[in-house]
Amino acid sequence: MFTEKAIEILKELKRSETIPPYNSTTISKTIEEICALYTEYYETVTENKTLKTTPYFLAHTYVFHSSAARNKRCILAYLMERSKRIREFRWNSGGGLLSVNLKENMSQDELDYFNDYDKLLNEYHTNVGLDLTIDTEQPPKELFIEVRVLKELGQVVLNSGGTVNLHLNTTHFLRRSDVGGLISQGVLEHII
Amino acid sequence: MTQSKKDYFDIDDILAEEEKIPCTFQHDAYHLGLLDTGSVDLDLKRFSTIHLAFWLSYPLAKRLLVSLDYPMAYQDEFKNKLIADPKVISMRKFQYYDIFGIKLANLFDNPKISTLLFKTFRDRFLDIYNQSLHLRNADISKSLQKYTVVERFVFLNGYNSSIAYDDWKNRRGEKLKQEGDNDTNNNNNNNRSTFSNNNKDKLKRKRFTDMGNDD
């Protein structure tokens, strides 16, 4: 049966919660399948010009055409779902940084897409004057929070202009908006 | 059947259309012997019956090239079981019973299927809703298996919002967290499996994309 491979990548995507490795081999195989299906029914139709509307040939045409359309739909849905997850990741991580793992799992086009989307979102946040990706769980009570450093970072310039020495296992009392991004990256830990 | 733009890219919708329907060909078919795995002929003979996926049977049936029969799960035997006691039946084998059922009801133009689906869902819903709010520290993966995709969506929504409400009430959201980090500091929630945490993240993500969605 046709379209089996295309269904397989959708199932693979559905099993995973994050962004699984981009399955370029299956995609190119599916595209080859679409071409083969098309050639086959195109030849059948052109060879039997007078008979092509009889049920005998019509069934053949419909099966091949539907299979090709189905393959296309599967690939598009696969790419669509992945691009959705990439956007979600940008909103959740609160920054334009990808881990090495994710980078390996994405295709070149997806990486470009992520970078462009990141740029777009940053531009928007600058224009609005507010980063919409932080403090989404609950409105903050205090302007300053206490944080502990989990990864050695050295001297860092903060968004608000000041500099701070983030050495391993030291604690700091800093402006919430400055460190939100670092916390979601796992560099700092919020202490209550 | 009209297909909306949203459904076209919906993975569940695509997988639901993989379900098979018994089709009987009304004519000989050119070079379609490959559809029937048991046959060696190049052509498909008239009146041969094959189980074809919904997406393939639909266009063929529309042109009266094949005649359709109801799939097993929508025939009387299983239907009677569903009518007798909808709550105890496990839908593990029929993950897409409702989505596929709606498509079938349209295809056969049979309001009885719609009624059956509605009644089944209505009877099962209350149980699912109740459990979703009370199964807090239990392992939910087992009960999830018994649900169809739609029911699972209902369950997880209830389950996650009750957790989110709890977090909000106890002001746990105040603490800034690492992306994808499980809140290990919470003694109350130590029992919570990573599974539910993933789903919580998923729900959160969903909200964000709704905001950030431009298509």
Side-chain angles (χ1 to χ4, degrees), chain A residues 7 14 17 44 56-57 60 62 66 70 73 77 87-88 92 117 136-138 183-184 186 190 192, chain B residues 7-8 12-14 17-18 28 30 43 55 59 63 173 175-176 178-179 204-205 208-209 212-213:
Chain A
I7 288 295
K14 208 175 136 63
E17 294 269 343
T44 313
Y56 180 58
F57 285 108
H60 179 268
Y62 274 120
S66 307
R70 176 82 176 167
R73 186 180 171 197
R87 285 200 302 275
E88 278 167 358
N92 285 336
Y117 188 72
T136 40
E137 291 258 311
Q138 206 155 349
I183 290 173
S184 60
H190 182 190
I192 293 183
Chain B
D7 286 347
Y8 187 82
D12 280 330
D13 197 77
I14 294 177
E17 289 188 0
E18 275 297 298
D28 287 350
Y30 172 77
D43 287 6
W55 57 268
R63 273 86 190 179
K175 185 178 154 106
L176 296 175
Q178 186 188 346
E179 160 65 9
K204 202 171 80 185
R205 276 209 303 267
F208 293 146
T209 21
N213 218 340

Side-chain angles (χ1 to χ4, degrees), chain B residues 20-39:
Chain B
K20 301 250 191 311
I21 305 177
C23 302
T24 309
F25 277 78
Q26 298 299 304
H27 307 274
D28 287 350
Y30 172 77
H31 278 203
L32 284 185
L34 52 101
L35 290 180
D36 187 358
T37 41
S39 105

